[in-house]
Amino acid sequence: MTVMGKVGGILAVKNRRIDPSLELRPVQRLKLGLVGMAVIFASLGLGFAWIVMRLAKRIYEHRMLTTAKISQIGDRNYRIRHAVAAIPPVPFPAHQQAIRVIRDEVDRIEWELADIQSR
């Protein structure tokens, strides 16, 4: 029984046996194996790189969002400080105490923001 087929060239099969001249030599098998492993590792490497890029993007976006929030808190603190400074002193001790508490809290917020921004 003779079968003819094409697989990268003409492959002659006689009595279900491959022609020995068409078999891969050990060096060719090694090359084919190395190329196959390189393809597999490259595809895995690209997948890993994609995961790392997604993670880096999320970290970057989180940092930008955090920076924007800190900046917004600083701006609000600035407005509160100037609004409290614009309030004229009143003869009522309770109001003066409230203003003093607000100023102290604004100072604490500024210190915390300075500490966070220095990191």
Side-chain angles (χ1 to χ4, degrees):
M1 171 189 249
T2 303
V3 178
M4 300 291 285
K6 289 188 177 181
V7 179
I10 297 177
L11 177 66
V13 178
K14 294 180 182 176
N15 294 329
R16 297 183 184 191
R17 292 188 184 160
I18 297 175
D19 187 6
S21 66
L22 298 176
E23 287 184 8
L24 291 174
R25 295 184 189 115
V27 173
Q28 291 173 333
R29 286 183 185 174
L30 180 64
K31 287 180 184 176
L32 184 62
L34 289 175
V35 168
M37 287 188 338
V39 168
I40 290 171
F41 286 128
S43 64
L44 291 175
L46 289 175
F48 180 72
W50 179 73
I51 291 170
V52 170
M53 288 303 296
R54 280 186 53 201
L55 181 63
K57 180 181 174 185
R58 285 184 183 173
I59 291 171
Y60 176 77
E61 288 174 349
H62 178 71
R63 285 188 178 184
M64 291 297 109
L65 184 61
T66 302
T67 302
K69 286 180 181 179
I70 289 172
S71 176
Q72 186 179 25
I73 291 170
D75 291 342
R76 288 180 180 171
N77 192 44
Y78 177 81
R79 282 186 255 151
I80 291 170
R81 175 177 292 285
H82 285 6
V84 169
I87 297 173
V90 291
F92 305 111
H95 293 275
Q96 290 176 359
Q97 174 127 5
I99 291 171
R100 190 175 316 117
V101 168
I102 292 171
R103 285 182 182 155
D104 289 344
E105 289 302 316
V106 168
D107 287 340
R108 286 185 188 162
I109 292 171
E110 281 182 356
W111 294 333
E112 290 296 324
L113 286 174
D115 183 42
I116 290 172
Q117 289 175 345
S118 67
R119 291 184 204 167

